Amino acid sequence: MIDLTYFKAQFETLQQDNPDGEIASIRKESFDVFNKTGLPTYKTEDWKYTSVSSLFELVYHQGKHTVGIADLEALRMPGHHKANELVFVNGRFDAALSNVLSPADEMTVLSLKDAINGTYSDLLRKHLNQSSTYIKDGVHALNGAFIDEGVFVHVHKGKIPQHPIYVYHIMDGRTQPILAQPRNLIYVDENSKLQLTETYATLGTSDSFCNEVLEMVVEQGAFVEYYKIQNDVAHANQVGTTHITQVGRSYVHTVTVTLGGGIVRNNLNLILDAEGDETHLYGLYLLKGKTHADNHTLIDNKQPNCFSNQLYKGISDDSSTGVFNGRIMVQPDAQKTNSFQSNKNILLSDNATINTKPQLEIFADDVKCSHGCTVGQLDEEALFYLRARGIPRDKAEVLLLQAYAADIIAQIKPMAIRAYVEKLIYDHLSIV
């Protein structure tokens, strides 16, 4: 069962060390929500297919680590020598392992504490923790209660940085179970561009639990590409919230790829708060073993003439479980909205499970919206066609599954990252 005494002691220590300011106030408010709501259960509608209670049966640690440059080298993504690398170890930003290449007139990277106590005070007070207005469960609140050593990134007005951002989340589980709770805020200013890729890795054999919240604000004329790659070990668990608010007419493109982990829950919220906003959401979850991957998406159309397109595909094998819950909201003022959603799934095993729930909530009368879902198996005729040409069944299945995933992978625009993900998928499918 959850050890409230442990979390209370950790929270009080953190507040004593940092007693003043807006962040301490957010921590206090969040911890009160955590105490009041507790952990979500199967009776909680948004969590009816996913239980996280088992993640709180361990005694976690959040302290020192021994991660060095040699550990990072093994995890680096292609093109890293031309990227801004932000490294988080056990949920805390590690400046010594990180490397910011973009000049100061293009991009600013500060700790949340320095940002809220300096030039960006008003901006952070307005936008930090806005995700809590949409996500009110205890897991999200727990992250807010432990905001510490996160970063604020500002892509400056009119700038298109030559260097993308790579974010590495490393959990050092070589000596003890680890709880990591990174919290970051990104502000993409007017007429600027951001390309961001996040990846995750657990070192060692101890369990890890990464409870992440990333908040992003996108201004007028800005362009955002966001890629999330999850290929961690079976004893690594994640609950991640990515909350993106388009406050000006802008374009957002996201791709989430989930290949490995224990219990994985992704909350992706897009708030279209300016007329003419456009957003595209793509996802692929390719599951084996006992991996449980739950993708929850929300597109909240608040203003007129917005467009969104969403395509998620799943493949479940062995005893794995895939969950998709996509929710589209069209507010009364959001006339002329075009919003489309599709979820397609393949089951490869009698013991695998898929739960899919597309949702439309429309409060405007002049809109075009659609949703749909499918669950099926590999086409036996296609398999027969390949096998009749001398291709063994296992290799034929790999070819068909690669083709099935291809239209999602094609949405990864940086060629180096796309090739990297294609290799991960091939290796994953080829494991006997």
Side-chain angles (χ1 to χ4, degrees):
M1 296 179 63
I2 184 169
D3 188 352
L4 291 175
T5 304
Y6 166 78
F7 285 109
K8 183 178 181 181
Q10 294 292 319
F11 170 74
E12 290 176 348
T13 299
L14 183 58
Q15 288 292 76
Q16 289 171 5
D17 293 341
N18 304 274
D20 302 318
E22 187 72 17
I23 292 180
S25 177
I26 292 174
R27 288 197 204 107
K28 175 63 168 62
E29 180 181 342
S30 298
F31 195 72
D32 289 344
V33 172
F34 172 68
N35 276 327
K36 181 179 179 180
T37 62
L39 294 177
T41 69
Y42 288 125
K43 295 182 180 180
T44 307
E45 181 62 26
D46 282 346
W47 291 82
K48 66 184 297 184
Y49 299 116
T50 302
S51 173
V52 292
S53 60
S54 62
L55 303 184
F56 291 86
E57 295 174 354
L58 296 175
V59 177
Y60 291 104
H61 299 268
Q62 307 175 65
K64 296 180 180 180
H65 66 85
T66 59
V67 175
I69 192 66
D71 298 306
L72 178 61
E73 284 292 343
L75 304 173
R76 278 179 158 153
M77 291 181 287
H80 64 85
H81 57 289
K82 295 183 179 179
N84 298 292
E85 295 182 293
L86 306 183
V87 180
F88 294 81
V89 182
N90 296 347
R92 292 177 166 86
F93 179 63
D94 193 313
L97 293 175
S98 301
N99 185 26
V100 178
L101 299 178
S102 293
D105 66 333
E106 285 186 356
M107 183 184 300
T108 297
V109 179
L110 296 171
S111 70
L112 288 176
K113 181 178 179 181
D114 289 343
I116 205 166
N117 292 326
T119 307
Y120 296 101
S121 174
D122 291 342
L123 193 151
L124 265 73
R125 283 183 167 83
K126 181 178 180 180
H127 295 293
L128 185 62
N129 204 40
Q130 284 301 301
S131 57
S132 64
T133 61
Y134 284 84
I135 301 179
K136 302 181 182 297
D137 61 67
V139 180
H140 182 273
L142 187 65
N143 177 284
F146 287 89
I147 296 177
D148 187 33
E149 297 187 34
V151 299
F152 168 72
V153 177
H154 178 205
V155 183
H156 293 182
K157 184 176 181 179
K159 298 297 183 179
I160 303 178
Q162 296 181 6
H163 307 288
I165 297 178
Y166 288 179
V167 178
Y168 301 90
H169 295 282
I170 303 173
M171 279 60 71
D172 188 2
R174 289 178 286 201
T175 59
Q176 56 196 4
I178 292 298
L179 172 61
Q181 301 202 85
R183 169 65 75 101
N184 302 304
L185 175 64
I186 298 176
Y187 186 75
V188 188
D189 217 328
E190 294 180 10
N191 301 312
S192 61
K193 182 176 181 179
L194 171 68
Q195 188 184 100
L196 172 67
T197 302
E198 285 193 294
T199 188
Y200 307 78
T202 297
L203 307 179
T205 58
S206 297
D207 286 24
S208 71
F209 177 22
C210 181
N211 179 24
E212 178 198 6
V213 176
L214 171 64
E215 297 171 316
M216 188 183 302
V217 181
V218 187
E219 284 284 3
Q220 178 76 23
F223 187 102
V224 170
E225 294 176 31
Y226 171 73
Y227 306 104
K228 187 171 190 174
I229 303 169
Q230 298 168 308
N231 188 38
D232 213 340
V233 292
H235 53 273
N237 306 287
Q238 297 178 33
V239 175
T241 295
T242 304
H243 186 86
I244 303 175
T245 305
Q246 296 177 246
V247 297
R249 182 173 182 174
S250 53
Y251 180 96
V252 173
H253 179 95
T254 75
V255 182
T256 302
V257 178
T258 305
L259 302 178
I263 296 174
V264 180
R265 163 75 176 229
N266 295 315
N267 300 313
L268 178 57
N269 299 345
L270 269 295
I271 315 304
L272 281 58
D273 203 14
E275 183 172 357
D277 278 336
E278 182 173 347
T279 188
H280 297 260
L281 283 64
Y282 299 95
L284 175 69
Y285 41 103
L286 202 168
L287 313 176
K288 283 190 173 185
K290 296 182 178 181
T291 297
H292 180 108
D294 182 348
N295 284 283
H296 264 61
T297 66
L298 167 66
I299 299 176
D300 187 2
N301 298 274
K302 302 178 72 174
Q303 302 298 332
N305 296 299
C306 292
F307 175 86
S308 66
N309 183 51
Q310 185 174 180
L311 174 61
Y312 270 66
K313 286 188 169 184
I315 301 170
S316 287
D317 200 358
D318 301 327
S319 299
S320 63
T321 301
V323 181
F324 175 81
N325 189 317
R327 184 181 175 198
I328 297 173
M329 296 182 63
V330 182
Q331 304 293 355
D333 292 336
Q335 302 292 345
K336 305 294 183 182
T337 288
N338 290 335
S339 193
F340 308 102
Q341 179 189 91
S342 178
N343 175 228
K344 301 178 181 181
N345 300 278
I346 290 179
L347 287 170
L348 299 178
S349 165
D350 292 339
N351 296 320
T353 303
I354 291 290
N355 296 291
T356 178
K357 184 183 177 183
Q359 294 176 262
L360 294 178
E361 298 182 22
I362 302 174
F363 302 100
D365 54 14
D366 187 7
V367 302
K368 292 181 180 179
C369 296
S370 68
H371 65 174
C373 62
T374 61
V375 180
Q377 298 175 322
L378 282 176
D379 187 342
E380 287 295 332
E381 289 189 5
L383 276 173
F384 177 80
Y385 178 87
L386 294 174
R387 295 187 68 190
R389 280 147 183 82
I391 301 175
R393 182 181 179 90
D394 57 346
K395 294 188 180 299
E397 288 183 352
V398 170
L399 288 173
L400 290 177
L401 293 174
Q402 283 182 302
Y404 176 77
D407 53 347
I408 301 296
I409 304 308
Q411 300 301 326
I412 301 177
K413 298 182 180 181
M415 294 305 297
I417 298 299
R418 184 190 300 180
Y420 172 70
V421 173
E422 286 176 340
K423 177 65 164 54
L424 291 178
I425 290 174
Y426 178 78
D427 291 345
H428 190 80
L429 292 172
S430 298
I431 295 175
V432 178

